[in-house]
Short mmCIF file of all heavy atoms in Angstrom, two decimals:
data_model
loop_
_atom_site.label_atom_id
_atom_site.label_comp_id
_atom_site.label_asym_id
_atom_site.label_seq_id
_atom_site.Cartn_x
_atom_site.Cartn_y
_atom_site.Cartn_z
N LYS A 1128 -0.53 -21.44 5.95
CA LYS A 1128 -0.22 -22.12 7.20
C LYS A 1128 -1.37 -23.01 7.62
O LYS A 1128 -1.18 -24.17 7.99
CB LYS A 1128 0.12 -21.14 8.30
CG LYS A 1128 1.48 -20.48 8.18
CD LYS A 1128 1.89 -19.82 9.51
CE LYS A 1128 1.67 -18.35 9.49
NZ LYS A 1128 2.02 -17.68 10.72
N ALA A 1129 -2.58 -22.43 7.53
CA ALA A 1129 -3.75 -23.23 7.96
C ALA A 1129 -3.90 -24.51 7.09
O ALA A 1129 -4.23 -25.57 7.59
CB ALA A 1129 -4.97 -22.40 7.85
N ASN A 1131 -1.53 -26.18 5.86
CA ASN A 1131 -0.41 -27.12 6.14
C ASN A 1131 -0.25 -27.40 7.64
O ASN A 1131 0.67 -28.14 8.03
CB ASN A 1131 0.92 -26.51 5.63
CG ASN A 1131 1.07 -26.76 4.13
OD1 ASN A 1131 1.41 -27.87 3.70
ND2 ASN A 1131 0.72 -25.74 3.37
N CYS A 1132 -1.09 -26.78 8.48
CA CYS A 1132 -0.90 -26.94 9.94
C CYS A 1132 -1.06 -28.34 10.40
O CYS A 1132 -1.93 -29.07 9.87
CB CYS A 1132 -1.87 -26.00 10.66
SG CYS A 1132 -1.64 -25.97 12.46
N LEU A 1133 -0.21 -28.75 11.37
CA LEU A 1133 -0.28 -30.12 11.83
C LEU A 1133 -1.21 -30.25 13.06
O LEU A 1133 -1.48 -31.33 13.54
CB LEU A 1133 1.13 -30.60 12.25
CG LEU A 1133 2.16 -30.55 11.10
CD1 LEU A 1133 3.60 -30.75 11.63
CD2 LEU A 1133 1.87 -31.61 10.05
N GLU A 1134 -1.65 -29.09 13.55
CA GLU A 1134 -2.47 -29.13 14.83
C GLU A 1134 -3.96 -28.69 14.57
O GLU A 1134 -4.84 -29.21 15.14
CB GLU A 1134 -1.88 -28.15 15.87
CG GLU A 1134 -0.53 -28.51 16.29
CD GLU A 1134 -0.43 -29.79 17.10
OE1 GLU A 1134 -1.45 -30.17 17.72
OE2 GLU A 1134 0.64 -30.44 17.09
N GLU A 1135 -4.12 -27.70 13.70
CA GLU A 1135 -5.47 -27.16 13.47
C GLU A 1135 -5.87 -27.26 12.01
O GLU A 1135 -4.96 -27.39 11.11
CB GLU A 1135 -5.52 -25.69 13.92
CG GLU A 1135 -5.35 -25.52 15.41
CD GLU A 1135 -5.57 -24.06 15.83
OE1 GLU A 1135 -6.36 -23.37 15.13
OE2 GLU A 1135 -4.94 -23.65 16.80
N ASP A 1138 -7.35 -22.77 11.03
CA ASP A 1138 -6.50 -21.65 11.28
C ASP A 1138 -5.08 -22.13 11.46
O ASP A 1138 -4.87 -23.35 11.39
CB ASP A 1138 -6.97 -20.95 12.60
CG ASP A 1138 -6.48 -19.46 12.68
OD1 ASP A 1138 -5.57 -19.10 11.89
OD2 ASP A 1138 -7.02 -18.72 13.50
N SER A 1139 -4.14 -21.23 11.62
CA SER A 1139 -2.75 -21.57 11.87
C SER A 1139 -2.60 -21.68 13.40
O SER A 1139 -3.02 -20.84 14.12
CB SER A 1139 -1.86 -20.54 11.27
OG SER A 1139 -0.81 -20.29 12.15
N CYS A 1140 -1.92 -22.79 13.87
CA CYS A 1140 -1.67 -22.88 15.30
C CYS A 1140 -0.47 -21.96 15.65
O CYS A 1140 -0.27 -21.56 16.80
CB CYS A 1140 -1.36 -24.28 15.75
SG CYS A 1140 0.30 -24.85 15.29
N ASP A 1141 0.34 -21.68 14.65
CA ASP A 1141 1.53 -20.78 14.79
C ASP A 1141 2.64 -21.39 15.62
O ASP A 1141 3.63 -20.76 15.93
CB ASP A 1141 1.10 -19.46 15.41
CG ASP A 1141 1.36 -18.27 14.49
OD1 ASP A 1141 1.83 -18.54 13.41
OD2 ASP A 1141 1.08 -17.16 14.91
N LYS A 1142 2.50 -22.70 15.94
CA LYS A 1142 3.52 -23.33 16.78
C LYS A 1142 4.13 -24.56 16.19
O LYS A 1142 5.27 -24.92 16.48
CB LYS A 1142 2.88 -23.74 18.16
CG LYS A 1142 2.43 -22.54 18.98
CD LYS A 1142 1.94 -23.01 20.36
CE LYS A 1142 1.29 -21.90 21.11
NZ LYS A 1142 -0.11 -21.66 20.66
N CYS A 1143 3.42 -25.27 15.34
CA CYS A 1143 3.91 -26.55 14.78
C CYS A 1143 5.03 -26.27 13.78
O CYS A 1143 5.24 -25.14 13.37
CB CYS A 1143 2.79 -27.34 14.14
SG CYS A 1143 2.23 -26.70 12.58
N LYS A 1144 5.71 -27.38 13.44
CA LYS A 1144 6.87 -27.27 12.53
C LYS A 1144 6.48 -26.55 11.22
O LYS A 1144 7.22 -25.67 10.73
CB LYS A 1144 7.35 -28.68 12.25
CG LYS A 1144 8.70 -28.73 11.52
CD LYS A 1144 9.16 -30.14 11.42
CE LYS A 1144 8.40 -30.90 10.39
NZ LYS A 1144 8.81 -32.31 10.23
N ASN A 1145 5.34 -26.92 10.69
CA ASN A 1145 4.98 -26.34 9.40
C ASN A 1145 4.67 -24.86 9.49
O ASN A 1145 5.07 -24.06 8.64
CB ASN A 1145 3.69 -27.11 8.81
CG ASN A 1145 4.11 -28.43 8.22
OD1 ASN A 1145 5.28 -28.76 8.10
ND2 ASN A 1145 3.08 -29.22 7.82
N CYS A 1146 3.86 -24.45 10.52
CA CYS A 1146 3.52 -23.09 10.70
C CYS A 1146 4.73 -22.20 10.86
O CYS A 1146 4.87 -21.15 10.26
CB CYS A 1146 2.57 -22.87 11.91
SG CYS A 1146 0.88 -23.43 11.54
N VAL A 1147 5.67 -22.69 11.69
CA VAL A 1147 6.88 -21.89 11.96
C VAL A 1147 7.73 -21.76 10.67
O VAL A 1147 8.20 -20.66 10.32
CB VAL A 1147 7.72 -22.51 13.13
CG1 VAL A 1147 9.05 -21.81 13.25
CG2 VAL A 1147 6.92 -22.45 14.41
N ILE A 1149 6.69 -21.93 7.56
CA ILE A 1149 6.05 -21.05 6.59
C ILE A 1149 6.22 -19.59 6.97
O ILE A 1149 6.51 -18.76 6.14
CB ILE A 1149 4.56 -21.44 6.42
CG1 ILE A 1149 4.46 -22.84 5.79
CG2 ILE A 1149 3.84 -20.46 5.56
CD1 ILE A 1149 3.04 -23.42 5.83
ZN1 ZN B 438 0.44 -25.22 12.93
#
Side-chain angles (χ1 to χ4, degrees):
K1128 283 197 261 181
N1131 280 282
C1132 185
L1133 302 169
E1134 300 292 333
E1135 291 186 33
D1138 201 345
S1139 140
C1140 76
D1141 243 0
K1142 295 185 189 79
C1143 74
K1144 192 173 75 181
N1145 283 355
C1146 285
V1147 173
I1149 293 169

